[in-house]
Amino acid sequence: MKTNNKYNIIRKKLSIVLCVLAILPLCSLTAMAQDDPSLYIAGELVTPANANDVLNDGGSVRYDAATKTLTLTNVNIITEGDYSGIESMHAVSTLRLVGSNKLGEILLRMNYGETATICGSGFNDRLEITNVKNGIAIQAWPFDYEATQPSPGLIIHDCTININAAWTGLEGRGILKIENASVSAVGREDGSIVGWNDLVLGNKMKITSPAG
């Protein structure tokens, strides 16, 4: 009887170990799936089927996966709940503005060493982000304390951007570069332009407010 009990205990322990080993690969696959490129517009997943007309309104939002370019044309996106206006996981490197655009929060997750671009063809191409918790955030993902490459940067050129947010206005950890653009960012609680390693202004660009 003692021998059988000992055998049963060993068998149970072995079964538990085998179960854990079987689960671990599934956990790894799940983590990988969560980091795959994905793009949501106001909670709507962008797919190859809807990429040319994400909102089904004639093409105000278009996405080119080959160039990672998202184009907004006179779009007015009202977000509800916790949905961001634009939420990208390694899917968007260029946000192109055409006309006057209004939307909610923008969150772009990128690899270390990459640079995002928000641009238009001139000051009449505009982006308004108001009545939100956060404005625009550029994040490195997955986060790595030992990363040897710089955090993702952001270039803004040839457009007008106005942000009025409750918490943060324009946030990132890399280099923020502004060329031939008008940028106004207000974050009432945690700061307006937050966390950037450096700010580079193009020729004839200057900070008008706050003074100095």
Side-chain angles (χ1 to χ4, degrees):
M1 293 294 293
K2 291 182 179 179
T3 302
N4 289 339
N5 287 340
K6 184 177 181 180
Y7 171 75
N8 289 335
I9 292 172
I10 293 174
R11 185 172 62 180
K12 288 179 180 178
K13 288 182 177 179
L14 181 60
S15 298
I16 292 172
V17 171
L18 290 174
C19 289
V20 171
L21 291 175
I23 291 171
L24 285 176
L26 294 178
C27 293
S28 300
L29 289 174
T30 301
M32 288 175 63
Q34 291 174 345
D35 290 343
D36 285 346
S38 62
L39 175 60
Y40 289 84
I41 308 297
E44 182 75 22
L45 176 64
V46 178
T47 67
N50 67 7
N52 286 328
D53 189 2
V54 177
L55 300 182
N56 194 29
D57 61 357
S60 66
V61 179
R62 297 177 183 269
Y63 176 63
D64 184 348
T67 61
K68 293 187 176 182
T69 298
L70 181 66
T71 302
L72 307 180
T73 304
N74 295 316
V75 70
N76 189 348
I77 298 176
I78 299 175
T79 58
E80 298 179 0
D82 293 330
Y83 287 138
S84 291
I86 299 171
E87 185 172 358
S88 167
M89 174 72 77
H90 303 300
V92 174
S93 60
T94 300
L95 178 60
R96 187 170 299 280
L97 307 174
V98 180
S100 181
N101 299 277
K102 298 180 180 180
L103 68 158
E105 302 175 7
I106 296 177
L107 173 57
L108 303 183
R109 293 189 176 99
M110 309 183 72
N111 292 314
Y112 285 90
E114 293 185 331
T115 298
T117 300
I118 301 177
C119 63
S121 298
F123 290 100
N124 289 331
D125 293 326
R126 307 174 60 88
L127 175 61
E128 304 278 345
I129 302 176
T130 59
N131 299 320
V132 294
K133 294 178 181 178
N134 299 291
I136 299 175
I138 310 296
Q139 294 182 354
W141 190 267
F143 185 77
D144 184 1
Y145 282 105
E146 299 180 354
T148 57
Q149 292 185 301
S151 294
L154 174 62
I155 297 174
I156 299 174
H157 69 84
D158 295 294
C159 62
T160 298
I161 296 179
N162 293 318
I163 302 170
N164 194 325
W167 295 349
T168 58
L170 183 55
E171 182 179 8
R173 294 293 181 271
I175 297 175
L176 173 61
K177 187 174 184 178
I178 302 174
E179 298 177 321
N180 193 41
S182 174
V183 178
S184 172
V186 175
R188 296 187 296 277
E189 183 70 22
D190 296 325
S192 298
I193 297 180
V194 181
W196 297 97
N197 184 52
D198 196 7
L199 171 62
V200 178
L201 300 179
N203 292 334
K204 299 182 180 179
M205 298 291 300
K206 64 180 181 179
I207 298 174
T208 59
S209 179

